[in-house]
């Protein structure tokens, strides 16, 4: 139980339950990071005591989903799934791989960001195209608002392509 006060009567307060810092190293040391809770617009009358109830501090949000081949129910195992905070400056990247059934789970902190870009079969310059069972698949990204959605299923399309061209000198020789 906590007590807040003194509070000025008939003034609206936003009550924050949150950490002052967030660090991935906490988890490595066996501690936990918690997502903030804000109860907005709390006001009291003179002499009033108000019960805000029990607040459940969550350790971020678990995002889960399945990765399949587009147009089928065939699941893809060992596919890299990467999440990066969207709309904020952050270097944190959270990664996992799909299991045998094509399922994945990620833990994302809502303290760090509300929006995340979750990408199946991601690549950067110089990385190879995702290949599973001799087939190539294109990456796909979904932006999640963790206050509304905590799952994202991906249907990856075959990346059937070829590159051809002609190399010539500056004078077209």
């Amino acid at each position: 139980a906590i007590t807040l006060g003194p509070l000025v009567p008939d003034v609206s307060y936003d009550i924050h339950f949150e950490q002052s810092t967030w660090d991935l190293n906490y988890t490595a040391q066996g501690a936990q990071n918690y997502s903030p809770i804000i109860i907005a617009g709390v006001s009291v009358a003179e002499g009033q005591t108000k019960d805000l109830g029990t607040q459940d501090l969550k350790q971020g949000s678990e995002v889960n989903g399945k990765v399949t081949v587009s147009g089928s129910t065939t699941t893809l195992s060992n596919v890299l799934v990467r999440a990066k905070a969207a709309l904020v400056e952050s270097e944190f990247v959270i990664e996992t791989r799909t299991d045998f059934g094509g399922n994945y789970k990620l833990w994302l902190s809502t303290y760090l960001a509300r929006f995340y870009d979750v990408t199946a079969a991601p690549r950067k310059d110089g990385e190879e195209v995702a290949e599973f069972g001799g087939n190539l698949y294109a990456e796909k990204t979904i932006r999640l608002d963790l206050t509304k959605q905590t799952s994202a299923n991906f249907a990856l399309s075959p990346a059937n392509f070829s590159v051809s061209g002609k190399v010539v000198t500056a004078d077209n020789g």
Side-chain angles (χ1 to χ4, degrees), residues 8-171:
V8 177
D10 302 318
V11 172
S12 183
Y13 293 92
D14 292 343
I15 311 298
H16 293 247
F17 299 91
E18 60 189 12
Q19 293 173 229
S20 58
T21 61
W22 186 86
D23 190 344
L24 286 176
N25 293 324
Y26 290 160
T27 306
Q29 297 169 7
Q32 296 295 327
N33 289 295
Y34 293 96
S35 296
I37 295 174
I38 300 170
I39 302 173
V42 175
S43 63
V44 294
E46 188 172 329
Q48 179 186 15
T49 299
K50 188 173 273 190
D51 185 352
L52 298 178
T54 301
Q55 302 303 314
D56 184 14
L57 297 177
K58 301 208 183 302
Q59 298 174 27
S61 294
E62 178 183 273
V63 172
N64 60 56
K66 185 177 287 258
V67 179
T68 60
V69 176
S70 181
S72 77
T73 58
T74 303
T75 59
L76 294 170
S77 61
N78 201 33
V79 174
L80 182 63
V81 178
R82 181 180 293 158
K84 182 160 181 18
L87 309 177
V88 297
E89 297 257 347
S90 174
E91 298 299 319
F92 290 112
V93 175
I94 298 88
E95 295 182 341
T96 191
R97 291 199 173 268
T98 58
D99 64 15
F100 185 72
N103 301 299
Y104 73 90
K105 290 182 183 180
L106 293 165
W107 180 86
L108 304 176
S109 172
T110 51
Y111 180 77
L112 180 61
R114 174 180 169 180
F115 298 96
Y116 280 84
D117 288 335
V118 181
T119 304
R123 297 178 286 295
K124 292 188 257 179
D125 292 337
E127 290 184 357
E128 293 185 18
V129 175
E131 181 178 348
F132 310 98
N135 297 313
L136 300 175
Y137 294 94
E139 75 176 24
K140 187 170 186 180
T141 300
I142 297 173
R143 177 159 292 165
L144 296 181
D145 176 347
L146 295 182
T147 65
K148 298 178 182 177
Q149 183 181 7
T150 56
S151 65
N153 294 322
F154 293 91
L156 300 184
S157 301
N160 298 328
F161 59 87
S162 64
V163 177
S164 62
K166 183 178 179 181
V167 177
V168 295
T169 62
D171 63 358

